[in-house]
Amino acid sequence: MTFWKWTIAVFLVLLLAVFLVLSKMAGSPKDVYGMVRYALPHMHRGTLKIGDDAPDARLVALDGSDHFHIRERTGGRPLVLIFGSYT
Amino acid sequence: MVEIYNDYKDHADFLTVYVREAHPTDEWQMKSNVKDDVCYAQPKTLVQRVAIANDFIKRFHYPIAFGIDDINNAANDAYSAWPERFYIIDESGRVAYRGGMGPFHYDPDEVRAWLAARYGAVKHDPPTPASPRPVASLSSRK
């Protein structure tokens, strides 16, 4: 019985530690929920490596109707790709 | 990032790829976005995503070439880009630099260092600000 009490106690302490670290990273305890619920599922390290062929994808122009491919922008000079959003 | 663009646009091409929102109102909204009046729900359609991207461009007079990821997030998935990330593609179409995942490992200085290693250090004086400083993830850092 003592073993299980200690196991549960250690587990709870670890859980609290993880929560505190995540709170520090995310900004507040409330943000921990946001990070775990909405951010972590979409964050992926990916498998692309230096030297791999750059993947292509079709992008939409700002007018919302024209399209172009990333590959159309490569081949001349180095291409810096900047991924991001407004928020 | 705009400063790096201004410093190296004579040597390299730059393309911004607008991906799904990082902190929309219906997901993990940040207080800073409320303060800066950057409040949008996660787009469900391409039209909505294009509209937000245009708001961003107009607000900050963003000068870098721009493409918007389709609503199926194909570019994001191909590059594991969300929420923000840099890559450099060399002249042969291969990945020459892969930045870390944002926001914790999103480092414009690494992009500058890659460009400086190839073209030498370039640093222009920043232009006199004529508009509010961008707050978005795309341009809030360097």
Side-chain angles (χ1 to χ4, degrees):
Chain A
M1 192 64 187
T2 305
F3 170 79
W4 286 110
K5 281 183 180 175
W6 274 106
T7 301
I8 292 170
V10 168
F11 176 76
L12 290 176
V13 168
L14 287 175
L15 199 63
L16 179 63
V18 168
F19 182 77
L20 291 174
V21 168
L22 288 176
S23 294
K24 176 78 173 173
M25 288 173 64
S28 73
K30 182 186 171 192
D31 289 322
V32 173
Y33 173 77
M35 184 167 70
V36 171
R37 170 70 177 82
Y38 296 109
L40 295 183
H42 295 286
M43 295 177 75
H44 304 290
R45 190 176 304 278
T47 57
L48 275 180
K49 302 185 298 295
I50 305 295
D52 285 351
D53 286 334
D56 192 23
R58 193 178 78 153
L59 303 177
V60 183
L62 280 165
D63 65 6
S65 57
D66 289 339
H67 298 82
F68 62 95
H69 286 256
I70 292 175
R71 190 160 291 164
E72 295 171 23
R73 305 297 175 99
T74 62
R77 309 188 299 178
L79 175 66
V80 179
L81 290 175
I82 308 158
F83 291 89
S85 70
Y86 196 172
T87 58
Chain B
M1 195 60 214
V2 173
E3 291 176 16
I4 296 175
Y5 164 75
N6 285 329
D7 288 341
Y8 286 98
K9 63 185 176 184
D10 293 335
H11 300 289
D13 295 319
F14 291 72
L15 175 62
T16 303
V17 182
Y18 195 88
V19 296
R20 71 191 304 276
E21 295 300 326
H23 297 289
T25 55
D26 53 343
E27 294 181 5
W28 180 19
Q29 187 179 32
M30 304 295 281
K31 289 178 184 172
S32 58
N33 282 349
V34 176
K35 179 184 171 193
D36 293 325
D37 193 23
V38 183
C39 301
Y40 297 93
Q42 187 69 263
K44 303 293 189 294
T45 67
L46 180 60
V47 170
Q48 293 170 342
R49 181 172 286 174
V50 169
I52 300 172
N54 274 283
D55 283 354
F56 168 75
I57 293 285
K58 286 173 187 164
R59 180 171 180 180
F60 300 114
H61 308 287
Y62 188 74
I64 303 174
F66 212 88
I68 301 164
D69 196 9
D70 210 337
I71 203 66
N72 63 7
N73 303 311
N76 179 42
D77 292 346
Y79 285 87
S80 304
W82 192 88
E84 50 192 355
R85 198 163 197 171
F86 293 117
Y87 285 87
I88 299 176
I89 312 303
D90 67 16
E91 296 89 332
S92 65
R94 297 179 191 279
V95 176
Y97 164 80
R98 183 187 80 151
M101 287 190 298
F104 303 114
H105 302 289
Y106 178 90
D107 189 355
D109 286 339
E110 290 186 356
V111 174
R112 179 180 286 282
W114 191 96
L115 293 166
R118 178 175 282 214
Y119 302 111
V122 179
K123 189 71 177 173
H124 294 106
D125 291 333
T128 305
S131 58
R133 178 178 167 77
V135 295
S137 64
L138 280 173
S139 51
S140 61
R141 300 176 181 86
K142 299 171 179 154

